[in-house]
């Protein structure tokens, strides 16, 4: 028995995408490394390097081609897997939600009995879900504003630029939090190690918020009572995608659009990109492995009575182990690749080395994905997909 064999369809789906991204990252990765080395050789900064804007344009065109070629590869794979002709009717037929609730009625078109739920009730629930999401995004915005202050991105200079007379306060400037980033403060920006503490704390806060919101988004999508699995997943994806991309990019967009400070943008991007890569490796592979080892030691220390018939049946032992594992969520891996793609393309000029580092990051992620799917997570249910 091979426990990893049940994960092969799921693993192939992720591996094909990650392998495609890794191969395509080589183009901007090599160019970004060339720009970085040339800039250091000529003694230039990122602001006065002539090749920086050109690299941004190349990254923009590369992103378009990367997506288009993936769509072509996706079509080839769906044809190879026998799901190419997976029409909307097939989605409804194979994707009906068992949890869908409604009243039985006679369909006026087909004349057959069907379960019906009024569309206006669902629209009201969707509006409530949107309001809840906006409130939670406002809470996340407060965390991001505090992070901007303690990291020194918003300081007294911003207050003076906002209103030299000092009569109107900067709406995002909080003196007490900003003072922590001053010289001699807890998060002194002149100290490399002290300045890294806010970035680490923000990474932990963002990961915690995303984890909690994923549970809320699942409950809201379930409460909306979508009829098909496709509609349910689209609702869930929209919520999580909006929230997690907001957490990942809001500070970067503030520094790029409002501050217009390429130095701050690059510093934040380097910290966010590298810390996020390490965080994913720790939270997805290392931490679950440690938790499982402790759980196995705890369970092995207890004496248990076993039935002779059950003890001789190896399959039951495998099922018992599988039942105790965590459920695997593919969306976490997909959103990571999407955010990584955004780091590389949206802010290519600020951090040309991002795509080069992403190559090695994806190679490590591929191996860690294979290991965690075979050892740390429960076997997922197979689902037909055409994309």
């Amino acid at each position: 028995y091979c426990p990893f064999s049940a994960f092969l369809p799921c693993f192939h789906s992720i591996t094909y995408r990650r392998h495609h991204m890794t191969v395509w990252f080589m183009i901007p990765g090599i160019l970004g490394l060339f720009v970085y080395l040339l800039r250091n050789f000529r003694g230039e900064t990122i602001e006065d390097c002539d090749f920086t804007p050109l690299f941004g344009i190349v990254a923009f065109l590369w992103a378009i081609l990367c997506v288009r070629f993936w769509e072509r590869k996706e079509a080839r794979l769906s044809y190879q897997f026998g799901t190419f002709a997976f029409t909307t009717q097939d989605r409804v037929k194979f994707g009906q939600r068992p949890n869908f609730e409604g009243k039985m009625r006679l369909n006026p078109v087909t004349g057959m009995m069907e379960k019906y739920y009024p569309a206006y009730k669902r629209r009201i629930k969707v509006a409530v879900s949107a309001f809840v999401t906006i409130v939670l995004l406002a809470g996340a915005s407060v965390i991001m504003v505090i992070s901007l202050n303690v990291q020194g991105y918003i300081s007294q200079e911003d207050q003076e630029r906002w209103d030299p007379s000092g009569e109107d306060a900067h709406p995002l400037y909080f003196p007490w939090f900003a003072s922590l980033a001053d010289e001699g403060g807890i998060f002194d920006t002149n100290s490399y190690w002290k300045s890294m503490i806010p970035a680490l704390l923000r990474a932990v806060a963002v990961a915690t918020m995303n984890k909690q919101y994923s549970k809320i988004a699942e409950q809201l999508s379930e409460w909306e009572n979508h009829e098909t699995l496709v509609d349910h997943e689209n609702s869930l994806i929209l919520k999580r995608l909006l929230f997690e991309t907001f957490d990942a990019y809001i500070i970067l967009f503030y520094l790029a659009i409002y501050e217009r400070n390429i130095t701050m943008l690059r510093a934040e991007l380097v910290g966010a990109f590298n810390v996020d890569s390490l965080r994913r490796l720790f939270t997805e592979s290392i931490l679950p492995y440690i938790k499982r080892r402790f759980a196995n030691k705890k369970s092995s220390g207890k004496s248990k009575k076993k039935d002779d018939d059950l003890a001789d049946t190896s399959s039951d032992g495998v099922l018992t182990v599988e039942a105790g594992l965590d459920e695997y969520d593919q969306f976490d891996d997909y959103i990571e690749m999407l955010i990584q793609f955004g780091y590389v393309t949206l802010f290519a000029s600020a951090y040309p080395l991002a795509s080069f580092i992403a190559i090695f990051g994806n190679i490590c992620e591929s191996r860690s994905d294979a290991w965690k799917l075979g050892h740390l997570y429960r076997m997922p249910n197979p689902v037909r997909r055409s994309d």
Side-chain angles (χ1 to χ4, degrees), residues 262-299:
I262 190 66
T263 303
M264 287 186 178
L265 175 61
R266 184 177 185 277
E268 173 61 22
L269 184 61
V270 171
F273 185 81
N274 295 339
V275 170
D276 190 59
S277 300
L278 296 176
R279 180 207 44 95
R280 292 200 307 267
L281 180 63
F282 178 77
T283 57
E284 294 179 6
S285 299
I286 299 177
L287 185 59
Y289 176 75
I290 295 175
K291 291 171 62 178
R292 185 183 177 189
R293 289 297 299 270
F294 274 103
N296 291 339
K297 288 183 179 180
K298 185 177 180 180
S299 61

Side-chain angles (χ1 to χ4, degrees), residues 203-275:
V204 173
V206 168
T208 303
M209 289 189 298
N210 290 341
K211 184 177 181 179
Q212 296 302 321
Y213 181 75
S214 64
K215 299 178 182 179
I216 297 175
E218 179 64 39
Q219 294 175 357
L220 290 174
S221 299
E222 185 69 31
W223 178 64
E224 292 169 4
N225 195 27
H226 294 280
E227 181 177 0
T228 64
L229 182 62
V230 173
D231 292 337
H232 175 81
E233 290 183 347
N234 288 341
S235 177
L236 179 60
I237 289 172
L238 178 61
K239 294 181 182 66
R240 290 194 59 183
L241 185 65
L242 177 63
F243 192 86
E244 297 194 24
T245 52
F246 178 87
D247 289 344
Y249 300 141
I250 185 61
I251 290 182
L252 299 175
F253 279 119
Y254 171 82
L255 297 175
I257 298 175
Y258 179 78
E259 293 289 343
R260 298 181 183 178
N261 190 321
I262 190 66
T263 303
M264 287 186 178
L265 175 61
R266 184 177 185 277
E268 173 61 22
L269 184 61
V270 171
F273 185 81
N274 295 339
V275 170

